[in-house]
Structures are given as structure tokens and as C-alpha cells.
Amino acid sequence: MSREIRIVLAGNPNSGKTTLFNALTGLNQKISNLPGTTVDKKTGQFQIGEDKCVLYDFPGTYSLYPKGEDERISVRYLLSNENKKDVILYVADAGNLKRNLLLYSQIADLGIPMVLALSMTDMAEKKGIQTDVRKLSEELGVIVCPVDARHERGLDKLKDALLKASQPVHRTFFSNLKCFTGSGAASYQTVLLNRISEKETDTASDIADLTAASETVERYRIIDNILEQCVLKALKRKSDFTQRMDAILMHPVYGFIIFYAFLFVLFQTIFRIADYPMQWIETGFSMFSAWSADMIPEGMMNSLVSDGIIPGVGGVLVFLPQIIFLFAFIAVLEDSGYMTRISFMTDRMMRAFGLTGRSVVPLIGGMACAIPSIMAARNIENKKDRLITILVTPLMSCSARLPVYTLLIGMLSPQVKYGWLDVRGLMLFGMYLLGFVSALFFAFIFKLFIRQKEGNFFILEMPDYRMPQLKNIILTIREKAGDFVFNAGKVILIVSIVLWFMASFGPPQTFENIEKRYQTYTHSDKEEKIKSEKLEASFAGILGRTIEPAISPLGYDWKIGIALITSFAAREVFVGTLSTIYNVGNESEEETMREVLSGQKNPKTGQQVFSTATILSLLVFYAFAMQCISTLAVTYRETRSKIWPAVQLVYMSGFAWLMSYLTYTLFN
Amino acid sequence: MRASELRNGQMAKIAGVQAGGLKEKLTEMGCIEGDYLKRLYVAPMGDPLAFEINGYTLALRVEEANLIEVEGSSIHES
């Protein structure tokens, strides 16, 4: 009779746990969220003969004593009697056994059957470390299986061991439970659960802290004794690849240069190279939309599908290339071990602004697009640092702002060059600088105002360098892309459709009246004029006129107001909307568009609509305003709360309004 | 002296870790009395520091390395 075996993976970060998980489960894995938390649980399946094995994985940890809220949640889940576990599969890095066995010793004391997988034995050997597996197994009283997850070796013996493990481990470590003051702690499990509650309610005492530390020292003493008999270390360390690499990569001068070079490549890739597949997707969906407009009979359904749903879906999928590239980069960084070095190099500078070394990659990525960058912030363990990074990343000038900047800067200054310096290029650079500085500014402010419950520490293991594994990278990308499309994507699609509706429909009769009026119109720009009037008469147009009082201090009229509203779906829509409202005609002709817009005069005052002051004000507005529902959707998803996207919307738009107002007043 | 006062390449024996919020974490990461640590390199601005301890590389901020008392430092030729 086939049974279902529930296995939980446990081990230190960087121990090869994830690689083993991927090797065992392959594509049969999914991520699910522990309800009401920001903690994700990975679940995978594989077969051993007729038996089905369900494998659970949590983020790696060094000790069952949790150091933050996420760890508390994971450990609680692990200790809970409700979640049945048949076997704990512990993964230990053979090159680092001493520290790896600490967590092992704690789990062993819980009385659950275990199997110990010894990973990265090849790397250990290169360091001159040899482990007597048989002796280790004897001393620990557990089955020990060397595995090479990267090359999928040792997995069969591992699977056999998993089937056989049914008894608690023979050797437990810490039996002096009485030293934990607390009413008769009956088991180590109880001790830990009490400890978690203490930390949650802030009632942990200094004595409790010291007790935990001395328990750890005791455990290490026992581990030392065991390892003395089982592990042989070459007296002279063979040349260490990691230390040689670090000599270059962590060099005070070269190291930093290499780092900047790498950031440059990262930015260029996401910015430029992702552009090609993005254009293919956009073109593809354009064609699809046009095709469906032809195929579906005239009417609302036609418009809904061709103008609403298809572009809406396209608007979600268009982010995939950037997400894939960014996460491929990040996966390579994490897998290779270089990511920790980045945190190391940048920590001091980032900390001054309430950010962290790990914020660097999301911030740089934000210069291409905030969506994958905010998702990437999940790597930041400290909740406050992660939150601040998520809140300020959208201030980095993303690529969607570029068409807006290009148009406005183009209107502002013709191609003036001072020697080799292009004024427009300089202004563009200035916009990027503005975004960067404001991000640091707000990070600093948030650092002061957001309370932090847990202590902030760096104490970071810098793992040995190793070759990134393609399989890991692909599985990571698949997970992130899927998460985006099916979760954030839903929100983006809905809001896109709402905005489409508002821009396509108006109060009854108005659209018909427009059509009637143009029936006898014979000029070639008939189509454009109709489109333009319809947009003005639509709900979006009405909304534009409604908000006019709020935006006229900034130098905008209601027509610009419509463009502000529609660009909420995506910033670059601003350009297209403006060209429709002012019926520019062929909108890809930049020269024409600039001329037409520059020539616009306000019917009431006779003044130029797009005056210098207005243009500058618009530039500032687009630099700071939160105008991207996709960003809000992803923030909601990553923080699991409606508050933070709301905070983003309010602080950014408020700041944008204020700065635009100041700019307009200054230059008017 | 404190671990933060070591220089690149210097190795010393850990005499103890200051009591406080981080003692538990530092101990778990292997900063045990009697074990050896060696400073490897430092970040561009002098903070954080990278140490070799119990066979792996551990990065600590200066304020964290300040909590570790060490003795008997020597330049280790590897």
C-alpha cells in the first residue's frame, strides 16, 4: 500500500538546501503563502517507488531561536503539532559542519525522526576537509547521506534513508531543561514555544537571553567533541578559491570598480536589452487587438475585448522580460555568493539612509522598472529595511517616465549644444539625479518614522563562491514570473479595464451627438477630431474637468488633467493621450507633436498652454508622482497590506503636487 | 582588546562576547570563547569587517565586532 510521507527540509542558509529541494522535486513545486503573513512556504512532491513524498521548505536559519517575525512564524509552524511531519531532512554543508550542526542539534532534541544529508562534500574536500561518514552517523545516531545535489548524486541512497527513518534520533544534545526557569518545561519543544511567545509579547528577560546563549555554547561543546572524531582537517589549507577571489573582488580599489561595472551591466541589460522582447510583446498584442477588432462583430463586446482586455493583458505581460532579466541576475548573484559581498560593500552607505546593502539591487533595478525591483526586495530580511526599500524604489526614474521626459525636455529646449555637452542629455541626467536624491531623502525620513520591533543587525555569513546552477535560476524565474502574472497581474488587469471604460464611455447620448455633428465633416482629420471630442466627453474627460481646480495651481488645464488620469495605468500613456486630445494625428512624428503642443493656446487667456513653467512643472510632477497601478499592485502583494500602497500613493502624489506647485510658481 | 581592533591578517582567540541583545546571535554564529577568529578584509568605508571563524567567513559591523573580546593576537601566515 502506498503511503504519503511528509518531509520537512531544514538547514542553514547557503547549505545547499534549495539545490537539494530542486533536485528532488524538479518542476513539481509551488510556493504558497502562510495565511496572514509575509512568509512563503515551498511545497514539492516526488515519488519513492510507490510512496508519495511531500517536501516542505522554509527559508534557511541558523537556530530555532527566531531572530525576527518571519523566523518566528516559520519556527512556530515547524513546532506545531498540527502540521504532521514524518521526517526532517536536514541538510548540512560538509565544509562547515560545526556551525551547521547547531540547528541540527536543536531539532534532534525535538524527537522527530531525521535524516542528515551531507552536501557540498566536493567543495569540502578542496578545502582539505574529510568527513568520516560512518563515524559521524554512529556518533549522532542518525543516517548520514552524502549528496551532490548539483550533479544529482547520492539521491537514491537518500531516498532509501527517508523511507527507513521512523525513530527519533538516538543522540540528543541538551538535556538540562531545568535551567530554563519556567513552570516545568516538559520538552524542548515547549521551551522554544515559550520563548517565541516571550519575544512576541516583548517579555523576554535578560536571563532568558543569557540562558539561550549558554545553551548554545554547551551544544557547540558537544558538537566539537563529536567532530573531533569524525572530521579530518588538513593542517595546511589548500589554496582557497574563495579567498583568492575575495582578494580581487573585495580589493579596496579594484573591488569597487568591478562592482560599479557590474551595476552598469545590470542597468543596461534591464533597460536596453529587455526592450526588444518588450517591443515584440507590445507589437504582438497590438496586432492581436487589431485582429480581434476585425473579427468580433461591432459593438461594446468588441471594444471591451480589443481595447480593454487584450491591451490590459498585454500591459501585464509586457513586464515579463524585465522581471525575467532582473531575477535571472539576482539568482546568479545569490547562487554564486556575490550578493552578500554587495551587501558588505554598500552597507555603510546605505545604512545612513535607512536602507541596507541589499537595497542596492532593487534601487538600480528601479531605474528600469519598479515592479520587478519591489519584488526583489523580498531578499531583504529585516522588515523595516525591506519596507523602506519598497516605499522609495518607485522614486527612481523608471523607463516608463522616459517617453514623458523626452517629449517635455524636447519641447523645452531645442537641440542646443554647448561644445560636446547636449543640454537635453544633461537635463535627462538631471531628472535621474532628482529621482535618486528624492529616494534617499524619503528613505531617511521613513527611517525616522517607522517603528521597528526587532533589532537590526548585519552579522552575515559570506558563503564560498560557487558556480550558479542553471536549474535553480530557471525555477526561480518561473516562480517569480508566475507570482507576478497571477497575483499582481489580476489587479493590474482590473484597473486597466476600469480606466479603459472611463476613457471610452461617457454619459448617454453625448457620443451619439458627437457622431451626428461630424456626419457632414469631410476633412481628412475627421477620425482624429471625433476621437478627441469623445475623449473630452468621456468619464475620464469629466474627471479631468473636475480635478482642474486642483491642478491649475500647477499650471495644468483640464486636458492635461485627462492625460494625468489615463497615465495612471502606465506613465507612458501620457504621450499617447496628449496626442489624442490635441489631435496631433500621426503621433509617432515627434517633431510634429512638439510643434502642435507648443502652439496650443488656452482659449480663455490666450496664453501658451505648454509654457516653460508648465513644462518644468510637469517634469517635476512625473518625477515624483505615483502614477503606476502596477507598482501599487506589486507593493500590495509584497507587503500583504493595503496600507503601504496607500502610503506610497499619498506621499508621492502629495510631494509631487507640492514640488510641481513650487516649480510652476517659481518659473511663472 | 576588541575584535574590531584587529587588522587584516591578524588572528586572535575569543575571550568572550558582551552580554546584550546580540550575544545570542553571535554565539549561534560560532563566536565561542576559546575559538579563533582572523580578520580577512574590510569594506571600503572601514565598516563592515570580514572575519574567518570556524572555517567560514563572517561579516560584522564594527559596532557588532566591538562586542567580541579577543586576546593574543598575531599575524597569521597562511
Side-chain angles (χ1 to χ4, degrees):
Chain A
M1 197 185 89
S2 70
R3 26 177 195 148
E4 179 177 292
I5 310 177
R6 296 164 66 102
I7 309 171
V8 177
L9 260 182
N12 283 176
N14 308 309
S15 59
K17 194 159 65 73
T18 309
T19 312
L20 182 59
F21 183 90
N22 289 341
L24 287 171
T25 62
L27 287 172
N28 294 327
Q29 55 173 273
K30 66 178 193 328
I31 274 225
S32 56
N33 179 235
L34 286 185
T37 75
T38 52
V39 178
D40 288 327
K41 168 182 75 171
K42 268 213 291 207
T43 315
Q45 285 186 16
F46 61 97
Q47 296 281 125
I48 308 182
E50 283 182 6
D51 298 320
K52 176 170 117 168
C53 295
V54 182
L55 189 59
Y56 299 94
D57 191 18
F58 286 89
T61 182
Y62 296 101
S63 152
L64 283 182
Y65 285 108
K67 297 296 172 300
E69 194 188 314
D70 280 1
E71 278 191 4
R72 275 200 287 281
I73 294 168
S74 306
V75 174
R76 218 204 208 111
Y77 183 90
L78 212 83
L79 297 176
S80 154
N81 287 327
E82 290 167 18
N83 308 308
K84 188 171 85 87
K85 330 158 236 314
D86 295 308
V87 176
I88 304 246
L89 173 51
Y90 193 87
V91 182
D93 173 6
N96 251 314
L97 265 185
K98 177 166 170 172
R99 193 202 67 225
N100 273 254
L101 286 182
L102 174 67
L103 176 63
Y104 169 84
S105 76
Q106 294 176 328
I107 299 180
D109 285 352
L110 291 176
I112 310 169
M114 289 175 83
V115 169
L116 178 58
L118 211 58
S119 68
M120 306 194 276
T121 44
D122 51 336
M123 287 176 63
E125 261 165 53
K126 288 205 190 102
K127 289 201 283 192
I129 299 172
Q130 281 184 328
T131 318
D132 185 341
V133 174
R134 202 190 51 79
K135 192 91 172 85
L136 184 65
S137 177
E138 207 180 283
E139 287 293 321
L140 292 178
V142 75
I143 309 175
V144 178
C145 301
V147 291
D148 183 354
R150 277 162 188 260
H151 303 108
E152 307 207 351
R153 281 202 282 256
L155 295 182
D156 289 324
K157 287 221 180 96
L158 181 65
K159 291 179 182 175
D160 284 339
L162 287 168
L163 287 181
K164 276 193 245 153
S166 56
Q167 298 298 320
V169 157
H170 281 179
R171 144 92 89 160
T172 54
F173 289 74
F174 195 73
S175 46
N176 190 8
L177 294 175
K178 285 198 223 91
C179 77
F180 292 102
T181 53
S183 44
S187 67
Y188 190 53
Q189 183 177 5
T190 319
V191 168
L192 286 170
L193 283 170
N194 285 345
R195 173 71 172 191
I196 293 178
S197 328
E198 278 172 13
K199 284 288 185 181
E200 274 175 348
T201 53
D202 259 333
T203 51
S205 63
D206 287 333
I207 300 179
D209 286 345
L210 284 177
T211 314
S214 59
E215 172 202 329
T216 301
V217 170
E218 182 64 23
R219 288 179 182 278
Y220 269 127
R221 196 184 58 76
I222 301 171
I223 290 171
D224 263 339
N225 287 338
I226 295 174
L227 290 183
E228 236 172 86
Q229 304 174 48
C230 311
V231 174
L232 209 68
K233 272 197 199 159
L235 271 173
K236 177 134 170 95
R237 251 171 95 113
K238 298 187 195 166
S239 69
D240 193 311
F241 177 69
T242 297
Q243 290 200 0
R244 279 183 291 141
M245 283 296 280
D246 272 339
I248 306 170
L249 293 175
M250 294 287 109
H251 190 274
V253 176
Y254 299 130
F256 227 53
I257 294 178
I258 294 175
F259 175 53
Y260 275 117
F262 149 77
L263 282 183
F264 180 74
V265 170
L266 168 70
F267 178 65
Q268 291 291 331
T269 309
I270 304 180
F271 203 64
R272 293 255 172 93
I273 303 184
D275 222 26
Y276 294 107
M278 279 171 80
Q279 280 178 24
W280 300 335
I281 294 178
E282 278 171 344
T283 315
F285 271 87
S286 253
M287 286 173 17
F288 188 24
S289 163
W291 173 84
S292 90
D294 286 334
M295 295 300 294
I296 302 176
E298 272 290 325
M300 186 148 70
M301 185 51 93
N302 181 323
S303 185
L304 173 65
V305 171
S306 329
D307 297 327
I309 295 184
I310 293 180
V313 171
V316 170
L317 295 182
V318 80
F319 286 113
L320 279 182
Q322 286 181 325
I323 292 178
I324 291 174
F325 273 112
L326 184 61
F327 278 99
F329 246 104
I330 293 176
V332 168
L333 289 180
E334 292 272 8
D335 242 32
S336 65
Y338 189 59
M339 182 66 100
T340 48
R341 271 78 179 173
I342 292 179
S343 304
F344 183 78
M345 284 189 286
T346 56
D347 183 63
R348 184 73 186 80
M349 188 172 69
M350 295 272 114
R351 254 206 312 161
F353 295 104
L355 297 165
T356 167
R358 286 190 174 239
S359 305
V360 173
V361 173
L363 283 180
I364 298 296
M367 286 169 79
C369 179
I371 280 90
S373 307
I374 292 177
M375 287 167 71
R378 211 184 286 181
N379 292 336
I380 302 171
E381 283 139 17
N382 183 291
K383 282 197 115 86
K384 178 172 166 178
D385 291 340
R386 189 196 309 165
L387 184 59
I388 294 180
T389 305
I390 291 177
L391 286 176
V392 305
T393 294
L395 282 171
M396 302 295 285
S397 288
C398 69
S399 50
R401 289 169 167 101
L402 206 53
V404 179
Y405 288 168
T406 313
L407 174 68
L408 293 173
I409 291 177
M411 284 167 67
L412 201 54
S413 74
Q415 278 187 301
V416 172
K417 283 190 195 227
Y418 288 115
W420 54 270
L421 222 60
D422 187 329
V423 169
R424 291 193 289 184
L426 219 59
M427 292 186 72
L428 189 61
F429 178 70
M431 296 307 297
Y432 276 96
L433 201 63
L434 202 60
F436 180 64
V437 167
S438 62
L440 291 182
F441 172 68
F442 275 102
F444 185 72
I445 304 241
F446 282 122
K447 173 169 116 150
L448 297 174
F449 283 100
I450 297 184
R451 277 185 314 119
Q452 181 166 253
K453 271 210 283 184
E454 46 201 56
N456 185 317
F457 59 78
F458 188 68
I459 304 176
L460 182 69
E461 175 195 356
M462 309 248 271
D464 287 337
Y465 287 114
R466 72 278 295 256
M467 204 44 187
Q469 249 214 321
L470 188 61
K471 188 170 186 174
N472 287 348
I473 295 173
I474 292 179
L475 286 169
T476 303
I477 291 175
R478 175 174 166 260
E479 177 202 314
K480 299 293 184 198
D483 186 29
F484 171 72
V485 170
F486 293 113
N487 292 306
K490 279 188 287 205
V491 178
I492 298 170
L493 186 60
I494 291 174
V495 180
S496 298
I497 292 182
V498 167
L499 284 169
W500 157 82
F501 179 81
M502 284 172 56
S504 313
F505 292 93
Q509 288 300 322
T510 40
F511 278 30
E512 281 179 26
N513 291 344
I514 296 174
E515 294 266 1
K516 276 192 206 140
R517 269 190 295 122
Y518 276 88
Q519 246 160 21
T520 50
Y521 195 76
T522 48
H523 282 218
S524 58
D525 60 352
K526 173 173 177 177
E527 276 305 314
E528 282 114 36
K529 279 197 121 75
I530 293 182
K531 250 174 76 175
S532 158
E533 287 210 24
K534 277 191 177 175
L535 183 56
E536 291 174 18
S538 70
F539 291 118
I542 295 174
L543 196 57
R545 259 172 298 216
T546 317
I547 65 171
E548 192 173 28
I551 58 176
S552 58
L554 310 181
Y556 316 150
D557 63 4
W558 60 272
K559 288 187 177 180
I560 297 180
I562 299 177
L564 290 183
I565 292 171
T566 55
S567 58
F568 205 74
R571 289 179 175 95
E572 60 266 43
V573 171
F574 178 74
V575 177
T577 306
L578 277 188
S579 85
T580 304
I581 297 177
Y582 293 106
N583 36 304
V584 172
N586 194 346
E587 37 192 78
S588 58
E589 293 291 348
E590 264 191 47
E591 279 303 322
T592 325
M593 179 151 189
R594 248 183 275 141
E595 282 166 17
V596 172
L597 290 179
S598 301
Q600 291 298 320
K601 297 246 182 338
N602 186 319
K604 285 187 218 145
T605 65
Q607 299 254 338
Q608 195 186 24
V609 172
F610 287 96
S611 60
T612 305
T614 300
I615 294 177
L616 284 172
S617 162
L618 268 174
L619 275 170
V620 166
F621 191 82
Y622 268 85
F624 300 133
M626 168 46 83
Q627 277 172 302
C628 181
I629 28 149
S630 311
T631 304
L632 292 175
V634 170
T635 300
Y636 169 63
R637 172 105 190 103
E638 291 297 317
T639 58
R640 311 262 191 266
S641 150
K642 299 199 180 84
I643 298 178
W644 299 113
V647 167
Q648 267 179 340
L649 184 61
V650 169
Y651 100 81
M652 284 178 74
S653 306
F655 186 63
W657 195 95
L658 184 66
M659 296 307 281
S660 303
Y661 174 67
L662 289 175
T663 310
Y664 183 68
T665 318
L666 202 66
F667 285 93
N668 203 10
Chain B
M1 64 189 272
R2 297 180 292 188
S4 49
E5 293 167 303
L6 290 172
R7 297 216 292 262
N8 279 358
Q10 270 190 314
M11 179 184 258
K13 185 155 101 166
I14 299 177
V17 178
Q18 247 179 65
L22 291 182
K23 174 162 179 165
E24 190 183 316
K25 174 74 183 173
L26 285 169
T27 312
E28 282 167 3
M29 295 303 275
C31 299
I32 315 267
E33 207 180 300
D35 282 351
Y36 287 87
L37 60 61
K38 170 175 148 190
R39 180 171 131 165
L40 295 173
Y41 49 83
V42 60
M45 277 168 254
D47 187 0
L49 309 164
F51 295 94
E52 183 187 316
I53 182 167
N54 279 317
Y56 77 99
T57 308
L58 180 64
L60 299 174
R61 286 181 182 148
V62 169
E63 69 201 22
E64 291 157 356
N66 279 342
L67 301 172
I68 306 177
E69 270 299 313
V70 298
E71 62 195 9
S73 64
S74 63
I75 301 286
H76 181 84
E77 302 293 341
S78 51

